[in-house]
Amino acid sequence: MQMKLQRCILNPLLSPVPQHHWESKYVFNCAVVKKNGLFHMLYRAQGEDMVSRIGYAVSTDGIRFNRLEKPVFTPGSQWELYGVEDPRITEIDGRFYMQYTAYSPLGVRISMASTTDFIRWERHGVIIPDIDNKDAALFPEKVNGRYVMFHRIEPDMYLAFSDDLIQWGDFVTIAGPREGYWDNLKIGIGAPPIKLNEGWLVLYHGVENTPRPTYRLGFMLLDLNDPSKVLKRSEEPVLEPEEEWEIFGGVPNVIFSDAMVEHEGNYYIYYGAADNHIALATISKEEIMKWVREG
């Protein structure tokens, strides 16, 4: 079966604010978690200096967000001279862990910070130091007694494992580009995975080798006990650039998601559009389960 996400009629949800120097040009790729009836969003933004910072917005319905005037997370080390990018948030034991990309002349590195209130942060620094790496997301619980994290060493999606959330190793590739498909150039994790009885539901982005690379979204299903095993993968994308503001922007032809939240029988998928705006698309849990269970 072919699944398609449905765009929210109020899209885009967030756009640049000209009078805010840190988010005057681009507002995009965001993490979202739902906790105690509130949707908490951490989003990447750039202003005139083109340094990426992370802002915070909150919502009661997952659609209409109120945001703070100042960023809540800004560059804090030599690894972050060009910015802090593309947050993903996972709650573990009541604490929220943010994986993000530190970008500097030294390269791109997976870094981590944690919080209980989204305003005050404890920095844990670069957690995979020796290689250019990005697109990181934590599993919400241990698997076989160890923490598990997605990461991306081009062009494949990888897993890494840890006993303490700081030291990571045992890298294993789980999936790569597919020749002749919509994801033939490179792939990476979208949102942190969601646990189902049938396996780990994973949203990912795939990039097609077009004149300006095209970013689309799809799903995978991973084995519960061995998430290096891919049980299913989208034959066709579930969302691709179609609206003008998804096709034209800071980086054209891009739909890039870091967030998937279960809400009232649906999955809310938040995405950056052409690196200019933040938007929302949804799919019913029922439709997802049909895909998961089909032969």
Side-chain angles (χ1 to χ4, degrees), residues 54 72-77 79-80 83-84 95 98 100 102 111-115 120-127 166:
I54 293 175
V72 295
F73 195 83
T74 59
S77 77
W79 287 103
E80 300 172 356
V84 289
R95 191 166 186 87
M98 177 174 70
Y100 64 94
S111 298
M112 186 171 74
S114 63
T115 184
R120 296 168 297 180
W121 293 89
E122 179 182 354
R123 290 178 178 267
H124 305 288
V126 173
I127 55 174
I166 301 298

Side-chain angles (χ1 to χ4, degrees), residues 90-92 138-143 146-148 195 200:
T90 303
E91 182 182 6
I92 298 177
L138 277 177
F139 280 61
E141 61 184 60
K142 291 181 178 179
V143 179
R146 304 180 80 191
Y147 296 106
V148 187
K195 188 178 185 181
W200 294 101

Side-chain angles (χ1 to χ4, degrees), residues 162-264:
S162 175
D163 295 319
D164 60 4
L165 290 172
I166 301 298
Q167 302 294 325
W168 293 88
D170 297 334
F171 296 176
V172 57
T173 178
I174 65 166
R178 297 178 292 185
E179 186 175 353
Y181 281 78
W182 56 277
D183 51 6
N184 63 13
L185 184 61
K186 57 184 177 180
I187 64 172
I189 189 64
I194 291 177
K195 188 178 185 181
L196 307 174
N197 291 331
E198 294 80 3
W200 294 101
L201 178 66
V202 172
L203 179 73
Y204 79 101
H205 66 264
V207 186
E208 184 180 2
N209 188 14
T210 50
R212 289 296 298 263
T214 302
Y215 284 68
R216 303 177 176 93
L217 299 180
F219 284 107
M220 292 183 190
L221 185 69
L222 309 183
D223 186 88
L224 270 186
N225 299 311
D226 181 3
S228 67
K229 289 184 180 178
V230 178
L231 304 179
K232 299 197 71 168
R233 184 169 169 181
S234 294
E235 293 288 309
E236 300 291 338
V238 298
L239 192 68
E240 58 188 322
E242 293 176 351
E243 302 290 337
E244 183 173 349
W245 44 272
E246 297 168 344
I247 296 171
F248 302 101
V251 181
N253 297 330
V254 170
I255 284 180
F256 188 97
S257 178
D258 293 345
M260 177 167 58
V261 177
E262 186 176 346
H263 179 60
E264 295 182 347

